[in-house]
Amino acid sequence: MGTSERLLDAITLRDWAHTAVSDLITHIDEINRLNVFPVADSDTGANMLFTMRSALAEANAGVNSEGGSACVARATAAMSAGALNGARGNSGVILSQILRGIADVTAVAAADSGGELPHIDAAILAASLRRGVDLVIASMGGEEIPGTIVSVLRAAADAVGERAQAGEGLTPAITAAGDAAVVALEKTTEQLDVLADAGAVDAGGRGLLVLLDALRTTVTGQAPARTVYELSPRAPQPDGAAERPAPQFEVMYRLDGCDAAAADALRDRLGELGDSVGIAAATSSAERTYSVHVHTDDAGAAVEAGLAAGRLSRIVISALSSGAAGLPVGGWTRERAVLAVVDGDGAAELFGGEGACVLQRDPAAGDPVNISAHQLMRAVIDTGAAQVMVLPNGYVPAEELVAGCTAAIGWGIDVVPIPTASMVQGLAALAVHETGRQAVDDGYTMARAAGAARHASVRIATESALTWAGRCQPGDGLGIAADEVLIVAADVVAAAIGLLDLLLASGGDLVTVLVGAGIESEDDVADVGGVLQKHMHDHHPGTELVTYRTGHRGDALLIGVE
C-alpha cells in the first residue's frame, strides 16, 4: 500500500460520502441529461445526490452524538438509514439498497470479529457489492433488467471479488471496480432499446461510476479521468406500435409496521397501478421499515394501498415530466424554502399551512429540548431547496444555529438565518416571505418584519419569588418581555391583559396570541380568546386580535404585536 493510500475505516467512509456528494454535484447535469429510462424526467443525478446527502448527514450526526466510532459497521448502518429515509426517486431507492448491502455485510463481519470492525478489506467490499446487487433486484420485484445500474454494479462486484480471491489488496480491487464499471456502463447502450434510441448510457450506472471513482479518490488520493457521456440519438426505428404514455406521477413514502407478506401484496397492487415499483427494506427484521416508490396515473390509489399495508409518513407526490427538470444548481428540487423551528402540533400545522417546512421539537420529550446543529442541518437538507430561510423562533441556541447553518452551507445550500426569538416573530417574518424576490432581499424583508414585531409571553409561576414587578406566588400569571417579569397578576388572562396594554402603548395593527399546552381544553382556549377580544374592543379599538392554539410547552401564551 502506497504512502498516500488509506484504510477504508469509518473516517475514510465518511470522507468518501463527502467526496461522493461533491462529485455528484459536479456530474449532476451530465447524469440528468442521460436519464431516459425508465422515465425521461431528467432527475436521476438530482435524486442520487439528494439521497447521498441524506446518508452523509446521518453519518455525521452519529459521529457527533456518539463522539465518533472506530467501527465501520456503525458508520455504514448510519449511512444506510440516512439513505433510506432520504431516498428520492427510483435511483435514490436503488442507492439506498447499495448502501444497505455494505451495512448488512459489515454488521455480520463485525459480529464475527467480536463486535468491532476497524476497516473494510477487498473481500468484505466484494461481499458488500454482491449483497447490494441482490437487494436492488429484490427491491425492484426480483427481476434484473440488463442495461441498468444493476449491470454496472454486478460488474464492479465481480471485479472486486476476483481481486480479493487472488489475494490482492483494497486499492487494486477498488481500481478494478471502476474500470469494470466503465466497460459495463458502455455496454448498457446495446442492452436496452430506449438507451440505444437515445444514444445514451444508463444514467444510474453513470451515477454509480461517480460513487466508485469517489471511493478511489478518497482511498488513493488520485481521481481517474472519465469520458463525459452525451446523448447521440439514432434515427427512429419503425416498429409499428405506438409508445405507451408515461405515467403522470411519481409517488414515494415511508412505510412502517409492515411485514414481508403485506409488502409483497403492496408490490402486486402498485404493479397494477403503475410501473417502476420499488419497495426497499431498511433491515431484515420481521416488521420492517420500507421506502416505497412507484410511477402511476393514480397517486391517491397508490397512497391508499400503502395505508392498507402499514403506517405512512414522508409522502411525496411529484408530477413526472418528459423534458429537462429545470432544477436549481446542485440538484435541489426547488429554488427556495422557509424552515420554521416550532414547538407543538398546532404550531406545526399553523406554519405548515402558511407554506413553511417545519422542524418540530420532539413532542415525546419530557421537557422542551432545544434543537441541535445536526438536527437543523438535516432539516435544511430535507427541504430540498437550494436556498433556505431559517426561522429559529427561540428554539435553537445561537451556537447551534451558526454551526447547523454553516454545515448546510458546506453542502452547497444558501442558508439565511432570520433572527426570530419567538414563534410570533416567525409568523410575522413568514407573512412577508416572497419566493420571487432575490434571497438577500427576501431575507432582509423577513428580518425587518420579525424585528418590528414586539413580543412577550405569559407564564404560570411555579414558586414564590421576587421579580421586578413584585413578589409572585405559585399559580400567578407572569407577564414577561425581554426576559424580565413586567406583570404579576392573579392568573394568565390578567397577566396577558397587562402585557397587551404595555405592548400597545406605542400602537399596533395586529395582535397574535399563541395558546400553549398549559391551557388544555377548547373551552379554556375560547375563554382566553373571548376575554382578550373584549379587552381589545373596549380599550384598543381598531387593533385586530387573532388567537391560535399551538400546544407549545413552557409559556402559557406567546403574544406578538405588529
Side-chain angles (χ1 to χ4, degrees), residues 183-260:
V183 174
L185 177 64
E186 294 182 349
K187 286 182 178 178
T188 60
T189 305
E190 307 166 6
Q191 295 172 300
L192 276 176
D193 288 343
V194 66
L195 297 181
D197 290 341
V201 298
D202 180 67
R206 180 65 183 103
L208 176 61
L209 179 58
V210 170
L211 300 181
L212 293 171
D213 285 346
L215 182 59
R216 179 174 170 181
T217 301
T218 305
V219 171
T220 69
Q222 299 176 347
R226 301 296 188 198
T227 300
V228 176
Y229 294 92
E230 301 285 354
L231 299 176
S232 302
R234 71 181 183 184
Q237 303 296 314
D239 58 7
E243 292 186 4
R244 183 171 63 89
Q248 297 182 63
F249 303 106
E250 178 180 60
V251 180
M252 289 196 70
Y253 47 77
R254 171 173 165 161
L255 175 64
D256 290 289
C258 175
D259 59 25

